[in-house]
Amino acid sequence: MKNNGLTQVVTAVSLALAVVAGTAHAQDLPKLEKKDRYKVGFSQMESNNPWRIAETQSFVDTAESCNWDLISTDAAGSAAKQVADVDSMIAQGIDVLFLPPREEKPLIPAVMKAKAAGIPTFLVDRSVDPAVAQAGRDYVAFLGSDFIDQGRRVAEWTLENFKGEQGVIVELEGTTGSSPANDRRKGFDDVMAQHDNMTIVASQSGDFARDLGRQVMETLLQAHPDVNIVYAHNDEMAIGAIQALTLAGRKPGEDVLVVSIDGTRDALQAIIDGKMGVTVESSPFFGPVACDVMERYIAGEEIEPWVQVQDRIFTAENAADHIDEAY
Ligand code: AHR
């Protein structure tokens, strides 16, 4: 508490410097010349869930129509491998890099190496620590959702639809140190902190994975058998939690409200089946967005630092209308 004043001053000064630095160096970003075809690098972080697979497929599907020779890698859940994958793509002479950084800090060296190699880089779906690397200075732009708003929207829907009096909440967090885990937690927790009848009794990482989500839920259920709301940072962990709750004799959708983010096919089906309340969309379909922003960059347009994706919300009212387009 003693350092609060100093922290605020340091933060304000850092932000001011950051803004100045971002403006001063925007013109130094590597340019992209007009060519018939482009060697495009897409560095995927892992392929252990439908969201990641849909995102990679979106780049593959976009490649031909956007004149890309796509080099796609899979870091299999390792930030170190993702940095090495980017090194390898730089060595192969990519013209442009699309990078979903697994975690906020460990992927900064990859961003800086691409910049040093003269390769324009776009961060896709996740971001890096803005205190160190910034859009308009170290990379061109971030293409993605507002993760804080996603968490906030889940919280607001929960407040409107929870039938009990006292909410006993378990939160299943995404990958520790990743931007969606940090931001989805902030968005949800800040809203819930304003409501005395809502208590988050446990918050633990399930690494955005179904099986880990199930295991973490099993453990947390033993410590908190009175849980009546589960907030998962993605649908895969929500489905894992539903499995754990069911095995423990609980009735997801009846005595436990399960809420989440993404919009996968399994989540929409769980909503239709009455086992899940809501999923706020987080679109994985970045291929067309990447193509559009790259063409604008080639044409010399100034790219906004955050190319924001708009997300829908899926509930019992509309899940059946959208399940056929889900992944
Ligand atoms: O960065 C987006 C998140 O990452 C998605 O919610 C999740 O399913 C994925 O692994």
Side-chain angles (χ1 to χ4, degrees), residues 158 160-165 257:
T158 302
E160 279 167 30
N161 291 277
F162 176 63
K163 301 276 186 274
E165 283 178 12
L257 180 60

Side-chain angles (χ1 to χ4, degrees), residues 45-46 48-49 51-52 125-126 147 150 179-180 184 207-208 233-236 261-262 264 282:
M45 66 187 76
E46 59 208 354
N48 63 343
N49 80 39
W51 198 99
R52 291 284 142 208
D125 97 69
R126 292 190 189 179
F147 292 138
Q150 290 174 344
S179 57
R184 287 173 182 172
D207 203 20
F208 283 126
H233 287 188
N234 81 342
D235 287 345
E236 282 295 278
I261 295 168
D262 268 354
T264 64
S282 195

Side-chain angles (χ1 to χ4, degrees), residues 14-29 133-140 302 305:
S14 315
L15 279 175
L17 286 174
V19 170
V20 171
T23 312
H25 297 284
Q27 71 275 17
D28 296 340
L29 282 169
Q134 288 165 23
R137 186 187 70 190
D138 302 308
Y139 58 93
V140 181
E302 192 169 321

Side-chain angles (χ1 to χ4, degrees), residues 2-203:
K2 262 190 202 162
N3 285 334
N4 252 0
L6 177 61
T7 307
Q8 278 167 10
V9 171
V10 171
T11 306
V13 171
S14 315
L15 279 175
L17 286 174
V19 170
V20 171
T23 312
H25 297 284
Q27 71 275 17
D28 296 340
L29 282 169
K31 300 278 177 284
L32 207 45
E33 301 302 326
K34 179 116 192 77
K35 299 202 292 186
D36 287 342
R37 291 193 73 79
Y38 295 88
K39 209 186 246 196
V40 172
F42 174 63
S43 163
Q44 184 53 282
M45 66 187 76
E46 59 208 354
S47 300
N48 63 343
N49 80 39
W51 198 99
R52 291 284 142 208
I53 293 166
E55 185 184 48
T56 303
Q57 191 60 44
S58 180
F59 275 84
V60 171
D61 291 345
T62 304
E64 202 40 55
S65 59
C66 208
N67 302 320
W68 294 347
D69 294 319
L70 187 67
I71 301 177
S72 179
T73 53
D74 178 355
S78 157
K81 177 165 179 340
Q82 198 174 17
V83 173
D85 287 345
V86 171
D87 277 344
S88 156
M89 287 194 271
I90 293 171
Q92 291 174 67
I94 52 170
D95 297 305
V96 59
L97 172 65
F98 290 100
L99 172 67
R102 188 170 197 273
E103 292 139 61
E104 284 196 318
K105 291 187 198 298
L107 267 298
I108 286 174
V111 173
M112 296 311 192
K113 283 179 185 177
K115 180 187 177 186
I119 297 165
T121 296
F122 296 86
L123 299 189
V124 181
D125 97 69
R126 292 190 189 179
S127 196
V128 292
D129 184 351
V132 187
Q134 288 165 23
R137 186 187 70 190
D138 302 308
Y139 58 93
V140 181
F142 165 61
L143 325 181
S145 296
D146 184 337
F147 292 138
I148 294 181
D149 191 55
Q150 290 174 344
R152 193 184 295 136
R153 290 168 76 192
V154 175
E156 283 163 0
W157 187 93
T158 302
L159 289 167
E160 279 167 30
N161 291 277
F162 176 63
K163 301 276 186 274
E165 283 178 12
Q166 294 294 323
V168 180
I169 306 171
V170 160
E171 181 164 345
L172 298 177
E173 298 176 28
T175 299
T176 304
S178 70
S179 57
N182 293 340
D183 291 354
R184 287 173 182 172
R185 179 174 179 173
K186 177 171 176 41
F188 183 89
D189 291 12
D190 284 358
V191 172
M192 289 307 181
Q194 295 164 21
H195 295 268
D196 291 343
N197 65 327
M198 292 285 163
T199 311
I200 300 172
V201 293
S203 190

Side-chain angles (χ1 to χ4, degrees), residues 194-248:
Q194 295 164 21
H195 295 268
D196 291 343
N197 65 327
M198 292 285 163
T199 311
I200 300 172
V201 293
S203 190
Q204 199 174 310
S205 177
D207 203 20
F208 283 126
R210 183 181 295 208
D211 203 47
L212 198 55
R214 181 185 58 74
Q215 290 172 38
V216 171
M217 190 70 229
E218 274 173 11
T219 307
L220 294 181
L221 253 178
Q222 285 170 20
H224 305 283
D226 53 343
V227 58
N228 52 22
I229 297 173
V230 174
Y231 166 44
H233 287 188
N234 81 342
D235 287 345
E236 282 295 278
M237 294 189 296
I239 298 293
I242 288 172
Q243 291 170 347
L245 288 162
T246 308
L247 268 174

